[in-house]
């Protein structure tokens, strides 16, 4: 198997965590935005190639990896909700970062980006009110959340000062060597 991605992408990081957890054999190939635009029809990372199988989304990749080792991925409804709510907030955050990077457009110049910014804030508030694991291992949804928080802080997009439950979850995630080993780096 080959996983294509970057060392900064939170979606790719979740897949790198899964590869370390499952100990599946897979080559990691670092690619940039130009290469992902040619390699993947979605022009995004991650991309997983397993013989004839080509998977273009982190959720299908994670489902495949855990299936290979006989484990399910996201089976509980509350977990599914947390996972997708986190992804919605994460997508909004990625949107803000990429529009600033590619086009120099920031929220103060765009009505829709202001809506995205508000979505991040209200999403974080709602997620902060949920109940999380107090010890490792984290659930898959909590892992996605911790990966998102770590990336958004790395990109200076959020602060957790007003979100103690989120800070506590991130602190717990950081006691996991696989989590720290996969931290975003340029
Ligand atoms: N739904 C996708 C999202 C992947 C995604 O947004 N990846 C970003 C990197 S963090 C990307 O490649 N963006 C390139 C672009 O938007 O052109 C997944 O879960 O894999």
């Amino acid at each position: 198997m080959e996983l294509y991605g970057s060392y900064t992408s939170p979606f790719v990081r979740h897949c790198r965590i899964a590869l370390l957890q499952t100990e599946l054999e897979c080559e990691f190939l670092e690619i940039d935005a130009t290469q992902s635009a040619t390699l993947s029809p979605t022009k995004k990372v991650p991309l997983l190639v397993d013989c004839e199988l080509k998977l273009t989304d982190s959720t299908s990749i994670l489902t495949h990896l855990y299936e290979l080792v006989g484990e399910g991925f996201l089976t509980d409804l509350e977990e599914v909700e947390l996972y997708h709510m986190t992804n919605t907030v994460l997508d909004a955050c990625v949107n803000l970062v990429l529009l600033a990077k590619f086009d120099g457009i920031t929220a103060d110049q765009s009505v829709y980006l202001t809506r995205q910014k508000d979505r991040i804030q209200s999403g974080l508030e709602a997620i902060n009110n949920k109940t999380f694991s107090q010890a490792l291992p984290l659930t898959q949804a909590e892992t996605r959340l911790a990966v998102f928080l770590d990336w958004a802080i790395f990109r200076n997009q959020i602060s957790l000062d007003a979100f103690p439950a989120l800070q506590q979850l991130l602190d717990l995630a950081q006691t996991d060597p696989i989590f720290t080993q996969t931290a975003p780096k340029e």
Side-chain angles (χ1 to χ4, degrees), residues 3-6 9-17 28 45-46 58:
L3 177 69
Y4 294 84
S6 70
S9 165
F11 301 97
V12 175
R13 182 183 186 183
H14 198 166
C15 298
R16 291 194 289 130
I17 289 173
F28 181 74
V45 290
S58 62

Side-chain angles (χ1 to χ4, degrees), residues 15-140:
C15 298
R16 291 194 289 130
I17 289 173
L19 285 171
L20 290 168
Q21 282 178 347
T22 58
E23 298 181 344
L24 287 163
E25 244 182 67
C26 180
E27 190 181 356
F28 181 74
L29 295 147
E30 192 181 5
I31 57 169
D32 60 20
T34 314
Q35 290 166 306
S36 70
T38 6
L39 277 171
S40 172
T42 62
K43 304 187 187 301
K44 289 192 181 200
V45 290
L47 167 74
L48 185 98
V49 179
D50 185 3
C51 302
E52 296 307 302
L53 190 64
K54 202 170 178 178
L55 300 174
T56 63
D57 188 278
S58 62
T59 306
S60 48
I61 293 170
L62 290 162
T63 304
H64 180 56
L65 296 180
Y66 286 104
E67 243 169 35
L68 286 175
V69 292
E71 286 176 35
F73 181 73
L74 294 183
T75 46
D76 171 81
L77 180 61
E78 261 186 53
E79 229 209 307
V80 172
E81 172 63 10
L82 175 61
Y83 179 86
H84 288 293
M85 195 192 276
T86 300
N87 280 343
T88 299
V89 179
L90 170 52
D91 282 332
C93 230
V94 169
N95 209 223
L96 279 166
V97 169
L98 294 185
L99 270 165
K101 181 179 160 186
F102 283 102
D103 297 316
I105 300 172
T106 52
D108 48 347
Q109 299 162 265
S110 156
V111 174
Y112 188 68
L113 279 188
T114 300
R115 186 173 164 88
Q116 292 284 55
K117 245 186 137 172
D118 292 348
R119 192 189 327 277
I120 295 164
Q121 209 54 27
S122 55
L124 285 175
E125 274 166 30
I127 297 172
N128 184 63
N129 287 330
K130 292 183 183 276
T131 305
F132 303 115
S133 302
Q134 296 299 307
L136 297 178
L138 300 188
T139 65
Q140 289 297 346

